[in-house]
Amino acid sequence: MPVYLGLDCSTQSFSAIAIAVEGSRREVLFERSVGFDEYFPQYGTRDGVLPSGDPLVARSSPLLWAEALDRMMEIVARDLRNDRSRLAAISGSAQQHGSVYIGAQATALLAALDPGRPLVAQVPGIFSRPDAPIWLDASTTPQCTAITQAMGGEVALARLAGSRACERFTGPQIRKFFEDDPGAYARTDKIHLVSSFLASLLAGAHAPVEPGDGAGTNLMDLASGCWSPAALDATAPGLAAKLPGIGASWAVVGTLAPYWMRRYGFPPARVVAWSGDNPCSLIGTGQVREGGVTISLGTSDTLFGLRRTWQPDPSGAGHVFGAPTGDYMTLVCCRNGSLARERVREEHGLDWPGFSRALRGTPPGNGGAILVPWFEPEVTPSVPVGGGARRYALDPADGPANVRAVVEAQMMALAIHSRWMRIRVETIHATGGAAANREILQVMANVHSAAVRPLKVGNSACLGAALRAYHAAELAAGRPIPWDLVVAGFTDPAPGEGAAPVPAHAARYAELMTVYSACESHARGTGGDPAPLIDAFRRRFRRA
Ligand code: XUL
């Protein structure tokens, strides 16, 4: 059976999933993952991020990503053993918005990688900037303001690009680089997304940007799928010449470079355009039709669904990206995801079973106790300068109540800030590390008043990349397959698992969400004291 490989360069780790497909026979061969901090301590990252004196700055190392790719390909070659020759295509998924800056010497270097030496020994010279700003960076508020002004305001930009100017998006990051270091900007020949950078290393030549991920730049005209000349002009001079082209999501960008074939014994497998982790996860959770919803609980918590047509979020908080099917996807992203859960768990000296026990032992609605979990600057709603977490009617020392409060807040924030999508949520496909936690899924089901189904494969972004490789390889071979058939057998919910909403608890959250919104507004300095609302909620659910 032909084998397809999906790779995933996320914030904290690098993963691979190999699948085998032939007709209706479908099999996940293996999943592998290496954490950046543990496997590559020499880079000094913490949770995948380089240390910085400025809490608004978040960068990682493109060299680390290259080394992790090399290590993962070695692992995959070992694990595929005699099946290596059956590798038909590879695609990938990467954290969105991050950018990699490359000098002109890279083109020749990429084409002549020496299989006798590891990648990490050969590529340091290609970067015109040693670090890469990533999606956790919140340092570009002045650049966002300037770009917004030049584009005629937030609404005009969102109508063109699917999102207002966001601190973590690539365009504002490029503008900041140009302002801070015009010399290095001038020496930059190509600016890649993390996704197109890694695809370029595999193919040994500059790969195009994929439109799903390209929509996370504030630079792409979402309707035409092309770079917008006006947005490029508003960002930095000469940018058009520095960006790779935008290709179709299913573009075969080349075959594996000789480096990979000679060093690890791979065949000349097709390299398919890489996309962002959220677009890939759309496929990896089987959202290939309009109307469904995925919640992904990872470093970021995201909620998204496929759309055939699109309108931007009038509040400016949500996003519209391209979907790898050629459609669109709407998305909200909350930055304070897994690290916020971990922080509360650690603050109260709990392990994960203890975290689950705390959820089981506390009442839905938490008696009106609220935590607004903005431990780090939040992206939804936009809280660029870290105002810190805020507690309302919540004792900071009460471990179980804080555990419930962080999970309820995260679920309510996703529900509140995704209303603009107007999706009638009946079933949620849950993915990401925390989707393995039954108690968290129960809160999700009650807050959204929807059935929650976790999927068999937890890393849906990586699986989505493997499925995209399969789809594109078939298309390239003249055998186009509908997306329903691409995902069939891979993205089915795990049987017997999941959570159903409890109607009385769902009704309670419908009221608590009004309280939570008021707490968010108060915490942002845009609303009054939510205490009267909290008291009213408490009186109503006193005996709950
Ligand atoms: C989406 C976003 C995050 C990153 C995390 O807009 O910023 O979900 O893609 O990997």
Side-chain angles (χ1 to χ4, degrees):
M1 272 158 85
V3 172
Y4 303 92
L5 184 66
L7 300 172
D8 175 39
C9 180
S10 75
T11 314
Q12 304 192 49
S13 57
F14 203 105
S15 308
I17 291 185
I19 60 173
V21 193
E22 197 156 57
S24 57
R25 289 174 59 206
R26 275 131 203 272
E27 213 182 307
V28 174
L29 299 178
F30 57 79
E31 296 186 45
R32 299 283 175 263
S33 199
V34 291
F36 294 139
D37 299 359
E38 306 88 273
Y39 280 76
F40 309 98
Q42 64 275 28
Y43 292 89
T45 55
R46 182 143 184 247
D47 301 321
V49 185
L50 292 170
S52 156
D54 181 344
L56 297 180
V57 166
R59 294 179 184 161
S60 189
S61 161
L63 195 58
L64 160 63
W65 297 330
E67 187 166 359
L69 169 69
D70 206 5
R71 178 78 60 89
M72 189 49 79
M73 291 296 274
E74 185 181 0
I75 293 172
V76 167
R78 187 196 64 205
D79 291 357
L80 276 177
R81 274 181 248 138
N82 300 337
D83 285 343
R84 251 177 264 182
S85 60
R86 293 202 274 156
L87 183 65
I90 305 184
S91 187
S93 144
Q95 51 171 298
Q96 295 197 256
H97 316 300
S99 40
V100 178
Y101 299 75
I102 293 195
Q105 68 282 20
T107 308
L109 220 146
L110 283 176
L113 291 168
D114 171 6
R117 291 188 304 139
L119 199 57
V120 70
Q122 302 183 61
V123 293
I126 71 174
F127 302 110
S128 55
R129 173 183 183 174
D131 55 17
I134 62 167
W135 69 278
L136 289 162
D137 191 284
S139 68
T140 62
T141 304
Q143 289 74 24
C144 287
T145 308
I147 290 170
T148 305
Q149 257 169 19
M151 293 302 291
E154 284 195 348
V155 174
L157 179 55
R159 283 209 184 117
L160 174 86
S163 301
R164 66 167 182 84
C166 297
E167 279 74 5
R168 68 191 192 286
F169 276 37
T170 325
Q173 294 291 342
I174 292 173
R175 185 176 172 117
K176 181 160 192 260
F177 179 54
F178 161 69
E179 285 174 4
D180 289 354
D181 196 345
Y185 177 80
R187 284 194 303 279
T188 300
D189 179 57
K190 281 276 171 292
I191 303 177
H192 275 290
L193 298 184
V194 184
S195 54
S196 59
F197 165 61
L198 291 165
S200 306
L201 291 180
L202 284 180
H206 289 294
V209 164
E210 183 274 345
D213 212 17
T217 59
N218 284 143
L219 298 171
M220 195 183 88
D221 176 338
L222 192 56
S224 70
C226 300
W227 299 124
S228 152
L232 302 190
D233 283 352
T235 300
L239 187 49
K242 296 184 195 287
L243 291 173
I246 300 177
S249 194
W250 42 85
V252 173
V253 303
T255 51
L256 272 182
Y259 174 85
W260 306 102
M261 298 198 285
R262 300 222 185 97
R263 191 166 171 88
Y264 299 121
F266 287 115
R270 290 183 160 109
V271 178
V272 174
W274 285 43
S275 182
D277 49 5
N278 292 295
C280 284
S281 199
L282 188 82
I283 304 301
T285 55
Q287 301 292 1
V288 294
R289 282 175 182 269
E290 212 168 25
V293 160
T294 293
I295 291 184
S296 170
L297 302 176
T299 309
S300 62
D301 287 349
T302 53
L303 181 154
F304 50 81
L306 181 138
R307 279 278 169 268
R308 301 255 180 253
T309 55
W310 66 279
Q311 290 290 324
D313 176 4
S315 84
H319 310 292
V320 189
F321 295 151
T325 54
D327 302 292
Y328 301 98
M329 63 184 287
T330 46
L331 173 137
V332 289
C333 168
C334 293
R335 169 183 171 160
N336 285 282
S338 68
L339 297 177
R341 288 184 285 276
E342 264 160 46
R343 183 170 173 148
V344 171
R345 181 180 68 75
E346 277 164 16
E347 267 173 12
H348 296 283
L350 297 168
D351 54 13
W352 285 113
F355 191 90
S356 294
R357 269 196 307 281
L359 282 173
R360 279 197 298 277
T362 43
N366 219 9
I370 299 260
L371 170 66
V372 179
W374 300 332
F375 296 106
E376 300 294 335
E378 183 47 74
V379 299
T380 307
S382 172
V383 186
V385 181
R390 297 291 295 267
R391 290 178 173 78
Y392 296 91
L394 174 64
D395 175 359
D398 182 341
N402 278 268
V403 166
R404 177 160 283 281
V406 70
V407 175
E408 289 188 343
Q410 291 173 326
M411 296 307 148
M412 288 193 287
L414 287 175
I416 292 165
H417 297 291
S418 62
R419 282 180 186 147
W420 64 280
M421 296 181 191
R422 296 177 194 277
I423 302 178
R424 224 179 87 69
V425 184
E426 280 168 6
T427 306
I428 296 169
H429 287 183
T431 183
N437 184 310
R438 179 75 187 66
E439 283 72 24
I440 293 180
L441 296 189
Q442 188 59 57
V443 178
M444 187 188 286
N446 287 336
V447 168
H448 290 267
S449 189
V452 173
R453 306 252 174 278
L455 299 158
K456 275 187 293 199
V457 176
N459 187 344
S460 55
C462 201
L463 175 64
L467 293 172
R468 291 183 50 249
Y470 164 50
H471 166 265
E474 288 293 283
L475 193 65
R479 295 184 297 266
I481 16 170
W483 281 99
D484 284 325
L485 223 60
V486 172
V487 302
F490 284 112
T491 60
D492 306 324
E497 289 174 30
V502 177
H505 296 166
R508 197 180 300 174
Y509 284 120
E511 299 206 16
L512 192 63
M513 277 194 258
T514 311
V515 182
Y516 185 75
S517 286
C519 293
E520 272 195 349
S521 303
H522 183 259
R524 297 174 80 199
T526 56
D529 184 356
L533 280 175
I534 293 175
D535 287 344
F537 179 87
R538 289 184 136 174
R539 277 196 302 279
R540 203 155 139 55
F541 295 104
R542 199 174 338 202
R543 278 184 298 278

mmCIF file with all atom_site columns, all heavy atoms in Angstrom, residues 437-458:
data_model
loop_
_atom_site.group_PDB
_atom_site.id
_atom_site.type_symbol
_atom_site.label_atom_id
_atom_site.label_alt_id
_atom_site.label_comp_id
_atom_site.label_asym_id
_atom_site.label_entity_id
_atom_site.label_seq_id
_atom_site.pdbx_PDB_ins_code
_atom_site.Cartn_x
_atom_site.Cartn_y
_atom_site.Cartn_z
_atom_site.occupancy
_atom_site.B_iso_or_equiv
_atom_site.pdbx_formal_charge
_atom_site.auth_seq_id
_atom_site.auth_comp_id
_atom_site.auth_asym_id
_atom_site.auth_atom_id
_atom_site.pdbx_PDB_model_num
ATOM 1   N N   . ASN A 1 437 ? -8.921  14.613 27.940 1.00 0.00 ? 437 ASN A N   1
ATOM 2   C CA  . ASN A 1 437 ? -9.423  14.738 29.310 1.00 0.00 ? 437 ASN A CA  1
ATOM 3   C C   . ASN A 1 437 ? -10.953 14.761 29.308 1.00 0.00 ? 437 ASN A C   1
ATOM 4   O O   . ASN A 1 437 ? -11.588 15.708 28.843 1.00 0.00 ? 437 ASN A O   1
ATOM 5   C CB  . ASN A 1 437 ? -8.859  16.033 29.921 1.00 0.00 ? 437 ASN A CB  1
ATOM 6   C CG  . ASN A 1 437 ? -9.251  16.186 31.370 1.00 0.00 ? 437 ASN A CG  1
ATOM 7   O OD1 . ASN A 1 437 ? -10.423 16.068 31.724 1.00 0.00 ? 437 ASN A OD1 1
ATOM 8   N ND2 . ASN A 1 437 ? -8.270  16.461 32.218 1.00 0.00 ? 437 ASN A ND2 1
ATOM 9   N N   . ARG A 1 438 ? -11.533 13.702 29.834 1.00 0.00 ? 438 ARG A N   1
ATOM 10  C CA  . ARG A 1 438 ? -12.988 13.500 29.816 1.00 0.00 ? 438 ARG A CA  1
ATOM 11  C C   . ARG A 1 438 ? -13.727 14.653 30.513 1.00 0.00 ? 438 ARG A C   1
ATOM 12  O O   . ARG A 1 438 ? -14.776 15.103 30.055 1.00 0.00 ? 438 ARG A O   1
ATOM 13  C CB  . ARG A 1 438 ? -13.236 12.151 30.506 1.00 0.00 ? 438 ARG A CB  1
ATOM 14  C CG  . ARG A 1 438 ? -14.631 11.701 30.661 1.00 0.00 ? 438 ARG A CG  1
ATOM 15  C CD  . ARG A 1 438 ? -15.207 11.203 29.333 1.00 0.00 ? 438 ARG A CD  1
ATOM 16  N NE  . ARG A 1 438 ? -16.622 10.911 29.460 1.00 0.00 ? 438 ARG A NE  1
ATOM 17  C CZ  . ARG A 1 438 ? -17.573 11.800 29.687 1.00 0.00 ? 438 ARG A CZ  1
ATOM 18  N NH1 . ARG A 1 438 ? -17.269 13.069 29.797 1.00 0.00 ? 438 ARG A NH1 1
ATOM 19  N NH2 . ARG A 1 438 ? -18.836 11.432 29.792 1.00 0.00 ? 438 ARG A NH2 1
ATOM 20  N N   . GLU A 1 439 ? -13.177 15.137 31.612 1.00 0.00 ? 439 GLU A N   1
ATOM 21  C CA  . GLU A 1 439 ? -13.861 16.191 32.390 1.00 0.00 ? 439 GLU A CA  1
ATOM 22  C C   . GLU A 1 439 ? -13.849 17.520 31.625 1.00 0.00 ? 439 GLU A C   1
ATOM 23  O O   . GLU A 1 439 ? -14.821 18.273 31.666 1.00 0.00 ? 439 GLU A O   1
ATOM 24  C CB  . GLU A 1 439 ? -13.202 16.383 33.761 1.00 0.00 ? 439 GLU A CB  1
ATOM 25  C CG  . GLU A 1 439 ? -13.551 15.311 34.766 1.00 0.00 ? 439 GLU A CG  1
ATOM 26  C CD  . GLU A 1 439 ? -12.896 13.970 34.479 1.00 0.00 ? 439 GLU A CD  1
ATOM 27  O OE1 . GLU A 1 439 ? -11.838 13.956 33.809 1.00 0.00 ? 439 GLU A OE1 1
ATOM 28  O OE2 . GLU A 1 439 ? -13.440 12.943 34.902 1.00 0.00 ? 439 GLU A OE2 1
ATOM 29  N N   . ILE A 1 440 ? -12.751 17.789 30.934 1.00 0.00 ? 440 ILE A N   1
ATOM 30  C CA  . ILE A 1 440 ? -12.707 19.021 30.124 1.00 0.00 ? 440 ILE A CA  1
ATOM 31  C C   . ILE A 1 440 ? -13.753 18.929 29.004 1.00 0.00 ? 440 ILE A C   1
ATOM 32  O O   . ILE A 1 440 ? -14.473 19.894 28.711 1.00 0.00 ? 440 ILE A O   1
ATOM 33  C CB  . ILE A 1 440 ? -11.286 19.271 29.560 1.00 0.00 ? 440 ILE A CB  1
ATOM 34  C CG1 . ILE A 1 440 ? -10.317 19.592 30.704 1.00 0.00 ? 440 ILE A CG1 1
ATOM 35  C CG2 . ILE A 1 440 ? -11.296 20.393 28.527 1.00 0.00 ? 440 ILE A CG2 1
ATOM 36  C CD1 . ILE A 1 440 ? -8.890  19.863 30.285 1.00 0.00 ? 440 ILE A CD1 1
ATOM 37  N N   . LEU A 1 441 ? -13.873 17.748 28.406 1.00 0.00 ? 441 LEU A N   1
ATOM 38  C CA  . LEU A 1 441 ? -14.859 17.578 27.322 1.00 0.00 ? 441 LEU A CA  1
ATOM 39  C C   . LEU A 1 441 ? -16.284 17.789 27.838 1.00 0.00 ? 441 LEU A C   1
ATOM 40  O O   . LEU A 1 441 ? -17.148 18.310 27.126 1.00 0.00 ? 441 LEU A O   1
ATOM 41  C CB  . LEU A 1 441 ? -14.736 16.190 26.695 1.00 0.00 ? 441 LEU A CB  1
ATOM 42  C CG  . LEU A 1 441 ? -13.416 15.886 25.995 1.00 0.00 ? 441 LEU A CG  1
ATOM 43  C CD1 . LEU A 1 441 ? -13.511 14.571 25.228 1.00 0.00 ? 441 LEU A CD1 1
ATOM 44  C CD2 . LEU A 1 441 ? -12.998 17.008 25.047 1.00 0.00 ? 441 LEU A CD2 1
ATOM 45  N N   . GLN A 1 442 ? -16.529 17.390 29.111 1.00 0.00 ? 442 GLN A N   1
ATOM 46  C CA  . GLN A 1 442 ? -17.871 17.576 29.664 1.00 0.00 ? 442 GLN A CA  1
ATOM 47  C C   . GLN A 1 442 ? -18.195 19.066 29.804 1.00 0.00 ? 442 GLN A C   1
ATOM 48  O O   . GLN A 1 442 ? -19.299 19.509 29.491 1.00 0.00 ? 442 GLN A O   1
ATOM 49  C CB  . GLN A 1 442 ? -17.987 16.866 31.023 1.00 0.00 ? 442 GLN A CB  1
ATOM 50  C CG  . GLN A 1 442 ? -19.403 16.846 31.568 1.00 0.00 ? 442 GLN A CG  1
ATOM 51  C CD  . GLN A 1 442 ? -20.383 16.136 30.613 1.00 0.00 ? 442 GLN A CD  1
ATOM 52  O OE1 . GLN A 1 442 ? -20.174 14.977 30.268 1.00 0.00 ? 442 GLN A OE1 1
ATOM 53  N NE2 . GLN A 1 442 ? -21.430 16.840 30.165 1.00 0.00 ? 442 GLN A NE2 1
ATOM 54  N N   . VAL A 1 443 ? -17.205 19.842 30.263 1.00 0.00 ? 443 VAL A N   1
ATOM 55  C CA  . VAL A 1 443 ? -17.424 21.290 30.360 1.00 0.00 ? 443 VAL A CA  1
ATOM 56  C C   . VAL A 1 443 ? -17.689 21.852 28.957 1.00 0.00 ? 443 VAL A C   1
ATOM 57  O O   . VAL A 1 443 ? -18.609 22.659 28.751 1.00 0.00 ? 443 VAL A O   1
ATOM 58  C CB  . VAL A 1 443 ? -16.211 22.011 31.013 1.00 0.00 ? 443 VAL A CB  1
ATOM 59  C CG1 . VAL A 1 443 ? -16.436 23.518 31.071 1.00 0.00 ? 443 VAL A CG1 1
ATOM 60  C CG2 . VAL A 1 443 ? -15.933 21.459 32.410 1.00 0.00 ? 443 VAL A CG2 1
ATOM 61  N N   . MET A 1 444 ? -16.907 21.382 27.985 1.00 0.00 ? 444 MET A N   1
ATOM 62  C CA  . MET A 1 444 ? -17.091 21.844 26.600 1.00 0.00 ? 444 MET A CA  1
ATOM 63  C C   . MET A 1 444 ? -18.516 21.550 26.122 1.00 0.00 ? 444 MET A C   1
ATOM 64  O O   . MET A 1 444 ? -19.190 22.426 25.558 1.00 0.00 ? 444 MET A O   1
ATOM 65  C CB  . MET A 1 444 ? -16.085 21.115 25.701 1.00 0.00 ? 444 MET A CB  1
ATOM 66  C CG  . MET A 1 444 ? -16.014 21.592 24.281 1.00 0.00 ? 444 MET A CG  1
ATOM 67  S SD  . MET A 1 444 ? -14.964 20.509 23.267 1.00 0.00 ? 444 MET A SD  1
ATOM 68  C CE  . MET A 1 444 ? -13.334 20.924 23.789 1.00 0.00 ? 444 MET A CE  1
ATOM 69  N N   . ALA A 1 445 ? -18.984 20.333 26.380 1.00 0.00 ? 445 ALA A N   1
ATOM 70  C CA  . ALA A 1 445 ? -20.330 19.933 25.925 1.00 0.00 ? 445 ALA A CA  1
ATOM 71  C C   . ALA A 1 445 ? -21.388 20.819 26.578 1.00 0.00 ? 445 ALA A C   1
ATOM 72  O O   . ALA A 1 445 ? -22.320 21.281 25.912 1.00 0.00 ? 445 ALA A O   1
ATOM 73  C CB  . ALA A 1 445 ? -20.583 18.466 26.273 1.00 0.00 ? 445 ALA A CB  1
ATOM 74  N N   . ASN A 1 446 ? -21.242 21.092 27.857 1.00 0.00 ? 446 ASN A N   1
ATOM 75  C CA  . ASN A 1 446 ? -22.261 21.887 28.559 1.00 0.00 ? 446 ASN A CA  1
ATOM 76  C C   . ASN A 1 446 ? -22.227 23.358 28.143 1.00 0.00 ? 446 ASN A C   1
ATOM 77  O O   . ASN A 1 446 ? -23.265 23.975 27.941 1.00 0.00 ? 446 ASN A O   1
ATOM 78  C CB  . ASN A 1 446 ? -22.076 21.756 30.071 1.00 0.00 ? 446 ASN A CB  1
ATOM 79  C CG  . ASN A 1 446 ? -22.507 20.374 30.562 1.00 0.00 ? 446 ASN A CG  1
ATOM 80  O OD1 . ASN A 1 446 ? -23.317 19.711 29.911 1.00 0.00 ? 446 ASN A OD1 1
ATOM 81  N ND2 . ASN A 1 446 ? -21.955 19.937 31.680 1.00 0.00 ? 446 ASN A ND2 1
ATOM 82  N N   . VAL A 1 447 ? -21.033 23.914 28.031 1.00 0.00 ? 447 VAL A N   1
ATOM 83  C CA  . VAL A 1 447 ? -20.945 25.335 27.657 1.00 0.00 ? 447 VAL A CA  1
ATOM 84  C C   . VAL A 1 447 ? -21.505 25.554 26.251 1.00 0.00 ? 447 VAL A C   1
ATOM 85  O O   . VAL A 1 447 ? -22.242 26.500 26.004 1.00 0.00 ? 447 VAL A O   1
ATOM 86  C CB  . VAL A 1 447 ? -19.482 25.843 27.744 1.00 0.00 ? 447 VAL A CB  1
ATOM 87  C CG1 . VAL A 1 447 ? -19.343 27.215 27.082 1.00 0.00 ? 447 VAL A CG1 1
ATOM 88  C CG2 . VAL A 1 447 ? -19.015 25.899 29.189 1.00 0.00 ? 447 VAL A CG2 1
ATOM 89  N N   . HIS A 1 448 ? -21.184 24.650 25.332 1.00 0.00 ? 448 HIS A N   1
ATOM 90  C CA  . HIS A 1 448 ? -21.631 24.824 23.942 1.00 0.00 ? 448 HIS A CA  1
ATOM 91  C C   . HIS A 1 448 ? -22.983 24.183 23.685 1.00 0.00 ? 448 HIS A C   1
ATOM 92  O O   . HIS A 1 448 ? -23.516 24.286 22.580 1.00 0.00 ? 448 HIS A O   1
ATOM 93  C CB  . HIS A 1 448 ? -20.583 24.249 22.979 1.00 0.00 ? 448 HIS A CB  1
ATOM 94  C CG  . HIS A 1 448 ? -19.335 25.054 22.930 1.00 0.00 ? 448 HIS A CG  1
ATOM 95  N ND1 . HIS A 1 448 ? -19.117 26.062 22.016 1.00 0.00 ? 448 HIS A ND1 1
ATOM 96  C CD2 . HIS A 1 448 ? -18.240 25.037 23.722 1.00 0.00 ? 448 HIS A CD2 1
ATOM 97  C CE1 . HIS A 1 448 ? -17.942 26.606 22.227 1.00 0.00 ? 448 HIS A CE1 1
ATOM 98  N NE2 . HIS A 1 448 ? -17.381 26.002 23.258 1.00 0.00 ? 448 HIS A NE2 1
ATOM 99  N N   . SER A 1 449 ? -23.512 23.485 24.698 1.00 0.00 ? 449 SER A N   1
ATOM 100 C CA  . SER A 1 449 ? -24.767 22.762 24.556 1.00 0.00 ? 449 SER A CA  1
ATOM 101 C C   . SER A 1 449 ? -24.737 21.895 23.281 1.00 0.00 ? 449 SER A C   1
ATOM 102 O O   . SER A 1 449 ? -25.618 21.962 22.424 1.00 0.00 ? 449 SER A O   1
ATOM 103 C CB  . SER A 1 449 ? -25.941 23.749 24.508 1.00 0.00 ? 449 SER A CB  1
ATOM 104 O OG  . SER A 1 449 ? -27.139 23.020 24.575 1.00 0.00 ? 449 SER A OG  1
ATOM 105 N N   . ALA A 1 450 ? -23.694 21.115 23.164 1.00 0.00 ? 450 ALA A N   1
ATOM 106 C CA  . ALA A 1 450 ? -23.487 20.288 21.973 1.00 0.00 ? 450 ALA A CA  1
ATOM 107 C C   . ALA A 1 450 ? -22.779 18.999 22.370 1.00 0.00 ? 450 ALA A C   1
ATOM 108 O O   . ALA A 1 450 ? -22.026 18.976 23.345 1.00 0.00 ? 450 ALA A O   1
ATOM 109 C CB  . ALA A 1 450 ? -22.629 21.049 20.958 1.00 0.00 ? 450 ALA A CB  1
ATOM 110 N N   . ALA A 1 451 ? -23.025 17.947 21.582 1.00 0.00 ? 451 ALA A N   1
ATOM 111 C CA  . ALA A 1 451 ? -22.304 16.694 21.817 1.00 0.00 ? 451 ALA A CA  1
ATOM 112 C C   . ALA A 1 451 ? -20.844 16.880 21.427 1.00 0.00 ? 451 ALA A C   1
ATOM 113 O O   . ALA A 1 451 ? -20.550 17.549 20.425 1.00 0.00 ? 451 ALA A O   1
ATOM 114 C CB  . ALA A 1 451 ? -22.930 15.588 20.992 1.00 0.00 ? 451 ALA A CB  1
ATOM 115 N N   . VAL A 1 452 ? -19.941 16.319 22.189 1.00 0.00 ? 452 VAL A N   1
ATOM 116 C CA  . VAL A 1 452 ? -18.511 16.446 21.896 1.00 0.00 ? 452 VAL A CA  1
ATOM 117 C C   . VAL A 1 452 ? -17.950 15.071 21.556 1.00 0.00 ? 452 VAL A C   1
ATOM 118 O O   . VAL A 1 452 ? -18.187 14.106 22.276 1.00 0.00 ? 452 VAL A O   1
ATOM 119 C CB  . VAL A 1 452 ? -17.762 17.046 23.109 1.00 0.00 ? 452 VAL A CB  1
ATOM 120 C CG1 . VAL A 1 452 ? -16.262 17.008 22.876 1.00 0.00 ? 452 VAL A CG1 1
ATOM 121 C CG2 . VAL A 1 452 ? -18.209 18.480 23.356 1.00 0.00 ? 452 VAL A CG2 1
ATOM 122 N N   . ARG A 1 453 ? -17.243 15.004 20.436 1.00 0.00 ? 453 ARG A N   1
ATOM 123 C CA  . ARG A 1 453 ? -16.654 13.727 20.010 1.00 0.00 ? 453 ARG A CA  1
ATOM 124 C C   . ARG A 1 453 ? -15.148 13.892 19.856 1.00 0.00 ? 453 ARG A C   1
ATOM 125 O O   . ARG A 1 453 ? -14.699 14.599 18.950 1.00 0.00 ? 453 ARG A O   1
ATOM 126 C CB  . ARG A 1 453 ? -17.198 13.335 18.640 1.00 0.00 ? 453 ARG A CB  1
ATOM 127 C CG  . ARG A 1 453 ? -18.690 13.292 18.540 1.00 0.00 ? 453 ARG A CG  1
ATOM 128 C CD  . ARG A 1 453 ? -19.185 11.859 18.443 1.00 0.00 ? 453 ARG A CD  1
ATOM 129 N NE  . ARG A 1 453 ? -20.609 11.797 18.497 1.00 0.00 ? 453 ARG A NE  1
ATOM 130 C CZ  . ARG A 1 453 ? -21.338 11.831 19.615 1.00 0.00 ? 453 ARG A CZ  1
ATOM 131 N NH1 . ARG A 1 453 ? -20.749 11.905 20.798 1.00 0.00 ? 453 ARG A NH1 1
ATOM 132 N NH2 . ARG A 1 453 ? -22.651 11.771 19.578 1.00 0.00 ? 453 ARG A NH2 1
ATOM 133 N N   . PRO A 1 454 ? -14.378 13.253 20.712 1.00 0.00 ? 454 PRO A N   1
ATOM 134 C CA  . PRO A 1 454 ? -12.926 13.262 20.476 1.00 0.00 ? 454 PRO A CA  1
ATOM 135 C C   . PRO A 1 454 ? -12.606 12.310 19.315 1.00 0.00 ? 454 PRO A C   1
ATOM 136 O O   . PRO A 1 454 ? -13.382 11.404 19.031 1.00 0.00 ? 454 PRO A O   1
ATOM 137 C CB  . PRO A 1 454 ? -12.346 12.732 21.784 1.00 0.00 ? 454 PRO A CB  1
ATOM 138 C CG  . PRO A 1 454 ? -13.444 11.965 22.414 1.00 0.00 ? 454 PRO A CG  1
ATOM 139 C CD  . PRO A 1 454 ? -14.752 12.476 21.885 1.00 0.00 ? 454 PRO A CD  1
ATOM 140 N N   . LEU A 1 455 ? -11.499 12.551 18.646 1.00 0.00 ? 455 LEU A N   1
ATOM 141 C CA  . LEU A 1 455 ? -11.173 11.732 17.480 1.00 0.00 ? 455 LEU A CA  1
ATOM 142 C C   . LEU A 1 455 ? -10.123 10.691 17.837 1.00 0.00 ? 455 LEU A C   1
ATOM 143 O O   . LEU A 1 455 ? -9.392  10.842 18.818 1.00 0.00 ? 455 LEU A O   1
ATOM 144 C CB  . LEU A 1 455 ? -10.656 12.659 16.376 1.00 0.00 ? 455 LEU A CB  1
ATOM 145 C CG  . LEU A 1 455 ? -11.736 13.676 15.972 1.00 0.00 ? 455 LEU A CG  1
ATOM 146 C CD1 . LEU A 1 455 ? -11.113 14.891 15.330 1.00 0.00 ? 455 LEU A CD1 1
ATOM 147 C CD2 . LEU A 1 455 ? -12.743 13.046 15.047 1.00 0.00 ? 455 LEU A CD2 1
ATOM 148 N N   . LYS A 1 456 ? -10.058 9.667  17.001 1.00 0.00 ? 456 LYS A N   1
ATOM 149 C CA  . LYS A 1 456 ? -9.118  8.574  17.296 1.00 0.00 ? 456 LYS A CA  1
ATOM 150 C C   . LYS A 1 456 ? -7.673  9.076  17.272 1.00 0.00 ? 456 LYS A C   1
ATOM 151 O O   . LYS A 1 456 ? -6.862  8.715  18.112 1.00 0.00 ? 456 LYS A O   1
ATOM 152 C CB  . LYS A 1 456 ? -9.289  7.453  16.254 1.00 0.00 ? 456 LYS A CB  1
ATOM 153 C CG  . LYS A 1 456 ? -10.401 6.489  16.626 1.00 0.00 ? 456 LYS A CG  1
ATOM 154 C CD  . LYS A 1 456 ? -10.449 5.304  15.678 1.00 0.00 ? 456 LYS A CD  1
ATOM 155 C CE  . LYS A 1 456 ? -10.852 5.721  14.297 1.00 0.00 ? 456 LYS A CE  1
ATOM 156 N NZ  . LYS A 1 456 ? -11.352 4.760  13.380 1.00 0.00 ? 456 LYS A NZ  1
ATOM 157 N N   . VAL A 1 457 ? -7.356  9.914  16.272 1.00 0.00 ? 457 VAL A N   1
ATOM 158 C CA  . VAL A 1 457 ? -5.984  10.437 16.190 1.00 0.00 ? 457 VAL A CA  1
ATOM 159 C C   . VAL A 1 457 ? -5.962  11.811 16.852 1.00 0.00 ? 457 VAL A C   1
ATOM 160 O O   . VAL A 1 457 ? -6.691  12.722 16.441 1.00 0.00 ? 457 VAL A O   1
ATOM 161 C CB  . VAL A 1 457 ? -5.526  10.535 14.719 1.00 0.00 ? 457 VAL A CB  1
ATOM 162 C CG1 . VAL A 1 457 ? -4.153  11.166 14.626 1.00 0.00 ? 457 VAL A CG1 1
ATOM 163 C CG2 . VAL A 1 457 ? -5.531  9.155  14.084 1.00 0.00 ? 457 VAL A CG2 1
ATOM 164 N N   . GLY A 1 458 ? -5.130  11.950 17.885 1.00 0.00 ? 458 GLY A N   1
ATOM 165 C CA  . GLY A 1 458 ? -5.120  13.189 18.677 1.00 0.00 ? 458 GLY A CA  1
ATOM 166 C C   . GLY A 1 458 ? -4.495  14.363 17.932 1.00 0.00 ? 458 GLY A C   1
ATOM 167 O O   . GLY A 1 458 ? -4.973  15.483 18.032 1.00 0.00 ? 458 GLY A O   1
#
